Amino acid sequence: DVKVTQSSRYLVKRTGEKVFLECVQDMDHENMFWYRQDPGLGLRLIYFSYDVKMKEKGDIPEGYSVSREKKERFSLILESASTNQTSMYLCASSPSPGTSLYNEQFFGPGTRLTVL
Amino acid sequence: AQSVAQPEDQVNVAEGNPLTVKCTYSVSGNPYLFWYVQYPNRGLQFLLKYITGDNLVKGSYGFEAEFNKSQTSFHLKKPSALVSDSALYFCAVRDPETGGGNKLTFGTGTQLKVEL
């Protein structure tokens, strides 16, 4: 089974802190994604990466950056956390084109971040 | 641009009755469509997908969905609901013409509540 793990289930930070959210997948997937989930807004894509050191902005990248130094790891960075970044953050991965599971995304359990 | 609408925030159904969770989509080309389920404090789990072929797609836990191109819909159905089906359901779409990284656009989610 594909396993996507996220470093923390719950995180509490203060306004202005630099926050790192880590995501690791164990299935050698090319593509990785960061979403935030808010009630009534569904999942919104923040950033995604289709290869090591490659990244593209999603729909709501402002206030976030990402890092992908190794294929299995995709980090989301909040340079200076703000209260409006309090949310559930979900990481996902999917394999490369040509594989039978290419069109599916596999999700981690989520990190609920609270910024005070 | 691709988009998804889930017109109902919540659906209530009695156990044993059939259930339907609605989804409509908008893409420029032929869509890839997905349903995911989220149980409390968990990440999203894949239920089923439509890529091509038979309009009726069967998935996990007895769920199925029907692709209707003329109505641009992909409603999720189950003949007999269980209390354990109570969860948050997300519809998602991908326009394969847009290329690049398997980006999905998610709906806002529908909370399904199955009562005894």
Side-chain angles (χ1 to χ4, degrees):
Chain A
D1 281 352
V2 175
K3 194 164 184 182
V4 181
T5 57
Q6 295 183 229
S7 51
S8 306
R9 293 299 304 274
Y10 300 93
L11 207 54
V12 179
K13 295 293 182 180
R14 297 209 172 271
T15 302
E17 281 192 76
K18 190 169 186 176
V19 181
F20 292 87
L21 302 182
E22 306 285 343
C23 175
V24 177
Q25 49 93 3
D26 66 357
M27 284 301 291
D28 201 37
H29 285 173
E30 302 286 339
N31 305 301
M32 296 188 75
F33 308 82
W34 275 108
Y35 297 89
R36 62 176 285 175
Q37 180 182 1
D38 300 288
L41 297 177
L43 273 72
R44 293 179 290 167
L45 181 65
I46 304 171
Y47 268 96
F48 71 100
S49 168
Y50 50 89
D51 202 350
V52 176
K53 296 190 186 293
M54 306 301 287
K55 61 186 180 185
E56 280 197 26
K57 294 179 180 179
D59 300 317
I60 52 164
E62 297 79 17
Y64 303 93
S65 63
V66 291
S67 171
R68 192 160 180 210
E69 297 296 318
K70 293 184 178 181
K71 192 174 186 180
E72 68 270 19
R73 188 179 297 271
F74 191 36
S75 302
L76 180 69
I77 303 156
L78 287 66
E79 295 290 341
S80 177
S82 63
T83 55
N84 63 12
Q85 292 178 310
T86 291
S87 187
M88 169 72 90
Y89 290 87
L90 293 170
C91 176
S93 71
S94 73
S96 54
T99 63
S100 62
L101 296 178
Y102 168 57
N103 287 296
E104 294 176 34
Q105 292 188 12
F106 298 86
F107 284 82
T111 295
R112 187 167 294 281
L113 172 67
T114 302
V115 182
L116 302 175
Chain B
Q2 56 196 41
S3 66
V4 169
Q6 293 182 243
E8 302 154 318
D9 291 336
Q10 181 160 322
V11 170
N12 297 321
V13 65
E15 188 174 55
N17 284 359
L19 69 87
T20 298
V21 182
K22 295 179 180 177
C23 172
T24 58
Y25 67 88
S26 174
V27 297
S28 55
N30 292 315
Y32 292 177
L33 293 156
F34 306 83
W35 277 101
Y36 284 82
V37 60
Q38 185 180 37
Y39 297 100
N41 300 314
R42 305 283 296 275
L44 273 67
Q45 295 178 31
F46 170 79
L47 269 182
L48 50 80
K49 66 183 177 185
Y50 171 81
I51 303 299
T52 188
D54 194 345
N55 289 343
L56 184 64
V57 178
K58 294 188 183 298
S60 306
Y61 312 121
F63 284 93
E64 59 189 27
E66 185 166 11
F67 171 62
N68 187 319
K69 189 171 184 177
S70 63
Q71 296 185 5
T72 62
S73 67
F74 190 58
H75 301 331
L76 181 70
K77 299 182 180 185
K78 188 174 182 182
S80 179
L82 298 172
V83 172
S84 57
D85 293 329
S86 298
L88 185 58
Y89 290 81
F90 289 97
C91 182
V93 67
R94 176 173 173 244
D95 183 347
E97 301 299 320
T98 62
N102 187 22
K103 286 171 56 177
L104 297 181
T105 297
F106 285 84
T108 52
T110 299
Q111 184 71 48
L112 174 67
K113 189 173 182 181
V114 182
E115 297 168 312
L116 290 169

